[in-house]
């Protein structure tokens, strides 16, 4: 369709200025140092599971603020030597879910590490109190301080989950992929930008992209940030500064691994222009699949098949 081709051409030319503050690199360097040096304090319990092809461990590790983060480590049973892994990040309002949800990865011979996002639908709370918090939703927690912001804390948890995968005796640390959709897709992009050990990134309908536009348009969870600013207009600059540290628009240029992204051209939650604004900043080998009539569901299971083939090809499975 000519309309679709024209829209895609316009999206591919989108060049949005970054919003990085002067201490952006130092901020993340200090954070990464803490992520790597503070003990994970892992506990791991083997779970009896009905799918015998899966070796399932119920895992807990410490966040930087000593929040106990729940996770699954799922290994292909009968494996020979170290195996590649996918670190999966779930969508907003979800949880690590049930191990059977990841059987397609273990069937490929790939381990899975998946954590709860704190204070969502899983078993992970938060030791952080989030200054100036109102019950507007996760993305509006801690907006007045970059070290207190909700996304900052969960991204630190996500970096710790990556470290858990890298240090696991059964996992090949040179073949670790990150993936997820929406909240999880935005997190996967950030992890590929922040952790140079990531070998592959798959980000579907990603959040945390071109956040100023999402806030202004009140799309998805960013509407809660907009509401906070509406209630506190004097804090506009403070809020935009805080959010800038967790905007993939400012992180995408750091990515060096191959990236597969997807978006729905009718997505009202993570609109395609916000996705392409970030995609166009990536200098690594990259591919994006736009689903013309899809909303926030993206490519669904069809795209999951694409990701399986992508991992199979890149990891030599």
């Amino acid at each position: 369709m000519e309309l679709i081709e024209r829209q895609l051409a316009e999206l591919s030319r989108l060049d949005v200025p970054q919003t990085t503050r002067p201490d952006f690199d130092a901020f993340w360097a200090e954070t990464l140092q803490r992520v790597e040096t503070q003990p994970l304090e892992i506990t791991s319990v083997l779970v009896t599971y009905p799918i015998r092809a899966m070796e399932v461990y119920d895992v807990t590790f410490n966040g930087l603020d000593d929040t106990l983060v729940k996770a699954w480590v799922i290994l292909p049973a009968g494996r020979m030597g170290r195996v590649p892994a996918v670190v999966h990040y779930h969508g907003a309002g979800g949880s690590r879910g049930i191990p059977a949800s990841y059987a397609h990865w273990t069937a490929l011979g790939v381990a899975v590490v998946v954590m709860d996002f704190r204070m969502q639908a899983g078993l992970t709370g938060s030791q952080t109190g989030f200054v100036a918090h109102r019950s507007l939703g996760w993305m509006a927690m801690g907006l007045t301080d970059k070290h207190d912001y909700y996304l900052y804390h969960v991204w630190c948890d996500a970096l710790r989950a990556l470290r858990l995968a890298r240090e696991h005796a059964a996992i090949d640390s040179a073949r670790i992929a990150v993936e997820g959709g929406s909240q999880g897709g935005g997190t996967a992009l950030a992890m590929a930008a922040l952790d140079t050990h990531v070998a592959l990134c798959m980000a579907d309908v990603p959040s945390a992209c071109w956040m100023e536009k999402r806030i202004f348009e009140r799309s998805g969870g960013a509407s809660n940030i907009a509401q906070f600013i509406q209630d506190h207009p004097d804090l506009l600059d403070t809020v935009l500064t805080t959010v800038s540290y967790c905007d993939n628009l400012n992180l995408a240029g750091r990515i060096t691994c191959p990236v597969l992204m997807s978006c729905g051209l009718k997505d009202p939650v993570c609109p395609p222009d916000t996705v392409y604004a970030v995609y166009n900043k990536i200098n690594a080998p990259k591919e994006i699949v736009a689903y013309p009539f899809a909303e926030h569901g993206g490519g669904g299971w069809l795209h999951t098949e694409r990701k399986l083939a992508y991992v199979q090809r890149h990891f030599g499975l």
Side-chain angles (χ1 to χ4, degrees):
M1 291 177 65
E2 185 179 343
L3 271 173
I4 295 170
E5 290 175 1
R6 187 159 61 245
Q7 183 182 4
L8 291 174
E10 291 172 357
L11 289 169
S12 69
R13 292 192 295 267
L14 193 61
D15 185 11
V16 178
Q18 294 179 309
T19 59
T20 50
R21 273 43 177 190
D23 67 338
F24 183 85
D25 290 335
F27 172 79
W28 281 113
E30 183 272 337
T31 297
L32 291 169
Q33 192 272 337
R34 292 179 60 210
V35 165
E36 291 299 319
T37 57
Q38 192 166 311
L40 286 170
E41 304 289 354
I42 298 167
T43 63
S44 180
V45 178
L46 179 64
V47 175
T48 301
Y49 203 69
I51 301 178
R52 295 180 181 176
M54 302 171 75
E55 189 177 306
V56 179
Y57 294 87
D58 187 356
V59 174
T60 303
F61 65 89
N62 275 18
L64 290 183
D65 61 351
D66 291 329
T67 292
L68 299 179
V69 182
K70 296 295 293 183
W72 297 121
V73 173
I74 308 167
L75 305 172
R79 63 196 175 278
M80 299 291 290
R82 294 190 174 201
V83 295
V86 165
V87 180
H88 173 83
Y89 302 107
H90 66 73
S95 71
R96 62 179 177 162
I98 62 171
S101 303
Y102 310 102
H104 55 292
W105 288 118
T106 55
L108 192 65
V110 175
V112 177
V113 176
V114 54
M115 67 171 211
D116 278 344
F117 278 61
R118 56 177 67 194
M119 301 175 71
Q120 295 193 15
L123 301 175
T124 301
S126 181
Q127 291 294 332
T128 294
F130 299 107
V131 175
H133 164 57
R134 265 189 60 196
S135 297
L136 290 171
W138 308 290
M139 288 184 75
M141 293 180 179
L143 281 169
T144 58
D145 182 346
K146 62 191 176 187
H147 287 100
D148 187 48
Y149 185 37
Y150 179 80
L151 274 186
Y152 172 72
H153 284 290
V154 294
W155 282 7
C156 288
D157 295 342
L159 286 164
R160 304 273 280 172
L162 264 173
R163 180 181 162 194
L164 184 157
R166 290 200 321 266
E167 296 178 357
H168 198 285
I171 291 174
D172 179 357
S173 61
R175 291 187 294 168
I176 294 179
V178 290
E179 72 111 10
S182 191
Q183 170 184 258
T187 302
L189 286 172
M191 297 304 101
L194 292 169
D195 189 330
T196 57
H197 299 92
V198 172
L200 211 59
C201 175
M202 297 168 288
D204 301 324
V205 295
S207 183
C209 294
W210 194 5
M211 288 301 295
E212 287 193 358
K213 188 169 192 292
R214 287 199 58 203
I215 293 166
F216 188 72
E217 293 187 345
R218 293 177 174 260
S219 63
S223 63
N224 296 321
I225 302 175
Q227 184 60 52
F228 183 88
I229 296 170
Q230 182 176 332
D231 294 342
H232 303 280
D234 55 315
L235 294 176
L236 171 63
D237 290 342
T238 298
V239 169
L240 294 182
T241 294
T242 296
V243 171
S244 72
Y245 293 89
C246 294
D247 190 337
N248 279 308
L249 184 69
N250 300 326
L251 285 163
R254 291 172 165 234
I255 297 175
T256 58
C257 69
V259 178
L260 173 64
M261 290 175 63
S262 70
C263 74
L265 294 186
K266 300 294 185 182
D267 190 344
V269 178
C270 296
D273 56 352
T274 67
V275 175
Y276 272 84
V278 168
Y279 178 77
N280 294 344
K281 297 291 186 192
I282 298 172
N283 298 313
K286 62 184 180 179
E287 176 185 351
I288 188 167
V289 183
Y291 293 92
F293 296 96
E295 296 189 5
H296 199 48
W301 276 101
L302 174 64
H303 194 73
T304 298
E305 290 180 338
R306 285 182 184 267
K307 290 190 291 184
L308 287 165
Y310 192 72
V311 169
Q312 185 180 49
R313 182 170 71 253
H314 281 275
F315 286 170
L317 300 172

